[in-house]
């Protein structure tokens, strides 16, 4: 067994972000015990360092945070990050970006996907994510045919996650048409083609190999996804939902063109359609949900479904801004995703989430809620994604609480931004005073997957990624 993957029986930290729901807070002198399944069996504040040492606990030098779930990822797009920032024509928007992204998708082989994903997942760990939800639609070979094993690309992602040590939820995607009025996919979408039965069969196979992370491999969960309402018929969506077990993710209301077309064809806005035609529940995760009304937000919150916001990708693509305050006030479950991976750090996602609202409203601390005893913007945002993202990943709970998976991040209290900062203000500073150092010590399912910022095979992963990037350039993938 790799030494960095060994499981300590217990940790002691001088401070830790503990609790769940509305009870999350900084606690001092915290003893956290890991059970045999890689979960916290107990989390107890007020335990002296001396007592913890006597019980054999590993002593952590700095404050402890729960790992964060990256609730929306397209791993192959890491190879495209930062490489679409030129405009050769008079106009550039989401749709022209999408055409360029398809050229990359058509160039990615299984070996290339493994190299890209292994590098990405390692970067996500350093950025404080310990679990990633992979919205996976790059299924078939470059000609659109099935591999000998139709799930070859899914297993490739699982292998890359295992190599990095990050938890993974695989979400095979239903993708059957190019638009509301299109009978089939475009030729450049040929690698994505699936039916509801194909996705259900894929989910069953993935679920059969799923693991909680209590062995050598990190956790693997299974769910399903619908690319978007424009990409699947009502009958196929109904078929998928009736047979699905676990999380159900869908891109929705990301672009106004999508909203307008949906309304023109169906008479309903996309989220309206979901609320009226589908029985939304806690399994459902509405990715982006950018162009929504207050009535739709309230409806989603009442249904128990969640919203997955991807601030840096939505800004990069010019999608627009959702009403974060309305989502918070409605009590909806919220999660964040790095999506196209122009950023791989959750602190940057939360920073931009709040700053977008400030620019739009010309006011400050939009996410804060003094009336609810949540005057700290960073703490309210972090608490909501900490509790709201569990269902997106197929987990029953999340955080530094008994029963949740033993995922944790050690905060470097010696980084310049945190020098002289009281514990109670440290989350504020981590999110709103940048840059922050990458996380050097990261635990997944009770095992250290990063220690002092490195792993034994880091150089090999980086070298393979570099070679893959050069190869994609040579193929004209961009």
């Amino acid at each position: 067994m790799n030494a960095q993957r060994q499981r300590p029986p217990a940790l002691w930290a001088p401070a830790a972000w503990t609790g769940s729901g509305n009870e999350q807070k900084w606690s001092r002198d915290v003893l956290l015990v890991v059970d045999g399944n890689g979960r916290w069996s107990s989390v107890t504040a007020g335990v002296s360092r001396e007592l913890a040492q006597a019980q054999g606990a590993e002593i952590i030098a700095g404050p402890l945070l729960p790992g964060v779930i990256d609730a929306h990822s397209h791993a192959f797009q890491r190879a495209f990050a930062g490489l679409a920032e030129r405009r050769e024509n008079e106009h550039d928007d989401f749709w022209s970006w999408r055409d360029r992204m398809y050229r990359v998708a058509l160039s990615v082989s299984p070996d290339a996907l493994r190299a890209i994903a292994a590098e990405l997942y390692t970067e996500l760990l350093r950025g404080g994510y310990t679990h990633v939800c992979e919205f996976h639609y790059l299924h078939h070979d470059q000609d659109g045919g099935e591999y000998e094993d139709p799930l070859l690309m899914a297993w490739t992602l699982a292998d890359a996650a295992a190599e990095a040590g990050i938890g993974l939820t695989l979400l095979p995607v239903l993708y059957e048409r190019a638009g509301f009025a299109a009978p089939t996919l475009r030729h450049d979408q040929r690698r994505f083609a699936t039916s509801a039965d194909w996705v259900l069969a894929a989910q069953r196979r993935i679920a059969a190999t799923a693991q909680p992370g209590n062995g050598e491999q990190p956790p693997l969960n299974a769910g399903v996804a619908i690319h978007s309402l424009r990409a699947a018929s009502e009958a196929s969506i109904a078929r998928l939902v009736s047979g699905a077990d676990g999380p159900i993710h869908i891109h929705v209301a990301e672009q106004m063109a999508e909203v307008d077309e949906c309304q023109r064809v169906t008479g309903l806005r996309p989220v309206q359609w979901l609320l009226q035609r589908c029985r939304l529940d806690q399994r459902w995760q509405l990715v982006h949900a950018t162009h929504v009304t207050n009535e739709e937000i309230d409806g989603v919150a009442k249904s128990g479904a969640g919203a997955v916001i991807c601030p840096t990708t939505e800004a990069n693509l010019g999608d627009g801004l959702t009403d974060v305050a309305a989502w918070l006030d409605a009590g909806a479950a919220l999660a964040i995703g790095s999506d196209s991976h122009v950023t791989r750090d959750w602190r940057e996602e939360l920073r931009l989430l709040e700053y977008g609202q400030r620019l739009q409203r010309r006011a400050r601390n939009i996410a804060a809620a003094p009336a609810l005893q949540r005057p700290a913007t960073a703490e309210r945002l972090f608490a909501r994604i900490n509790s709201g993202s569990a269902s997106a990943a197929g987990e029953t709970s999340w955080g530094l609480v008994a029963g949740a998976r033993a995922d944790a991040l050690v905060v470097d209290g010696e980084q310049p931004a945190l020098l002289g900062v009281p514990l109670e203000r440290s989350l504020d500073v981590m999110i709103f005073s940048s840059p922050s150092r990458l996380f050097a010590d990261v635990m997944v399912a009770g095992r250290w997957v990063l220690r002092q910022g490195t792993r034994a095979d880091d150089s090999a992963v980086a070298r393979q990624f570099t070679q893959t990037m050069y190869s994609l350039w040579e193929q004209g993938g961009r």
Side-chain angles (χ1 to χ4, degrees):
M1 181 185 293
N2 188 328
Q4 69 184 8
R5 299 283 173 88
Q6 291 179 352
R7 178 176 294 142
L11 308 175
W12 179 91
W17 182 261
T18 64
S20 60
N22 295 326
E23 304 304 318
Q24 296 177 60
K25 62 179 182 179
W26 284 112
S27 299
R28 295 184 183 273
D29 299 331
V30 181
L31 179 66
L32 306 98
V33 180
V34 183
D35 69 16
N37 295 313
R39 295 186 173 271
W40 303 120
S41 63
S42 63
V43 178
T44 309
V47 177
S48 71
R49 176 179 177 136
E50 293 72 23
L51 179 58
Q53 281 182 308
Q55 295 178 1
E58 179 179 341
I59 304 302
I60 306 301
L64 210 62
L65 286 172
V68 173
I69 292 172
D70 183 344
H72 189 63
S73 165
H74 304 294
F76 77 92
Q77 291 182 22
R78 170 64 183 88
F80 195 40
L83 295 171
E85 309 310 313
R86 305 169 65 137
R87 177 167 60 86
E88 308 294 345
N89 300 307
E90 286 302 309
H91 182 70
D92 192 14
D93 59 13
F94 168 86
W95 306 101
S96 52
W97 171 89
R98 187 184 69 160
D99 290 342
R100 283 173 283 173
M101 180 269 291
Y102 285 167
R103 293 199 292 271
V104 177
L106 289 172
S107 302
V108 175
S109 67
D111 287 343
L113 182 61
R114 170 68 180 263
I116 294 163
E119 173 66 22
L120 167 67
Y121 294 156
T122 301
E123 293 175 353
L124 291 177
L125 285 167
R126 293 195 177 105
Y129 295 109
T130 57
H131 192 99
V132 58
C133 300
E134 195 60 51
F135 198 102
H136 172 52
Y137 56 77
L138 191 58
H139 301 295
H140 309 312
D141 66 24
Q142 280 92 335
D143 296 323
E146 287 197 339
Y147 291 103
E148 183 176 352
D149 182 343
L151 295 190
L152 174 62
M153 296 294 262
W155 303 136
T156 297
L157 291 167
D159 288 345
E163 182 178 356
I166 198 169
L168 176 69
T169 299
L170 272 172
L171 303 162
V173 175
L174 172 62
Y175 207 148
E176 61 184 7
R177 66 188 188 187
F180 285 98
T184 59
L185 292 169
R186 293 172 13 172
H187 185 61
D188 58 1
Q189 297 171 319
R190 59 189 179 272
R191 300 190 73 178
F192 314 154
T194 54
S195 65
D197 286 338
W198 192 99
V199 173
L200 288 171
Q203 186 201 17
R204 285 193 289 270
R205 285 190 64 194
I206 296 165
T209 67
Q211 54 211 6
N214 58 351
E216 289 286 333
Q217 301 299 316
L220 174 64
N221 298 334
V224 299
I226 303 156
H227 180 271
S228 55
L229 293 182
R230 69 178 182 272
S233 69
E234 182 172 1
S236 295
I237 292 172
R239 166 74 177 142
L240 181 67
V241 172
S242 67
D245 182 22
I248 303 171
H249 291 228
I250 182 171
H251 291 134
V252 66
E254 180 180 3
Q255 285 282 318
M256 276 307 302
E258 170 200 350
V259 176
D260 293 342
E261 185 181 10
C262 185
Q263 197 160 20
R264 184 169 61 252
V265 173
T266 71
L268 297 170
R269 295 164 55 86
V271 175
Q272 272 185 312
W273 193 96
L274 288 172
L275 288 167
Q276 292 189 24
R277 303 289 178 86
C278 296
R279 293 184 177 179
L280 296 186
D281 55 33
Q282 193 176 16
R283 297 175 300 164
W284 283 83
Q285 303 296 317
L286 278 53
V287 180
H288 302 304
T290 304
H291 302 286
V292 291
T293 67
N294 286 340
E295 291 77 14
E296 290 167 348
I297 290 172
D298 288 340
V300 172
K302 289 175 183 175
S303 74
V308 181
I309 306 173
C310 308
T312 60
T313 292
E314 289 153 9
N316 184 271
L317 299 180
D319 289 343
L321 295 167
T322 195
D323 189 342
V324 174
W327 285 108
L328 289 167
D329 292 344
L334 294 179
I336 56 168
S338 60
D339 194 354
S340 66
H341 307 297
V342 290
T343 295
R344 280 85 68 189
D345 189 319
W346 59 262
R347 293 164 294 189
E348 294 191 33
E349 299 293 347
L350 291 186
R351 184 184 309 132
L352 187 56
L353 186 66
E354 169 69 19
Y355 281 174
Q357 303 298 303
R358 294 185 187 192
L359 289 167
Q360 187 177 48
R361 295 170 181 247
R362 297 190 294 277
R364 301 190 71 251
N365 290 311
I366 305 303
L372 300 176
Q373 286 73 55
R374 281 291 183 192
T377 297
E379 290 191 357
R380 191 179 186 212
L381 287 174
F382 187 76
R384 288 295 290 273
I385 66 162
N386 188 43
S387 59
S389 57
S391 56
E395 293 286 327
T396 56
S397 61
W398 198 258
L400 303 185
V401 292
R405 203 170 78 203
D407 288 22
L409 313 169
V410 179
V411 176
D412 178 5
E414 299 302 312
Q415 60 185 296
L418 288 175
L419 293 177
V421 173
L423 174 67
E424 291 73 18
R425 299 297 182 91
S426 55
L427 263 176
D428 296 341
V429 172
M430 275 188 274
I431 292 173
F432 294 113
S433 177
S434 63
S436 297
R437 284 183 185 164
L438 297 174
F439 291 97
D441 297 289
V442 177
M443 173 176 282
V444 176
R447 287 191 169 86
W448 294 112
V449 296
L450 279 181
R451 295 310 306 259
Q452 298 177 333
T454 61
R455 301 178 310 130
D457 56 355
D458 274 355
S459 59
V461 169
R463 184 168 58 252
Q464 188 62 47
F465 175 71
T466 301
Q467 293 170 352
T468 297
M469 290 290 285
Y470 284 140
S471 177
L472 287 172
W473 272 104
E474 290 169 1
Q475 294 176 45
R478 291 166 192 82

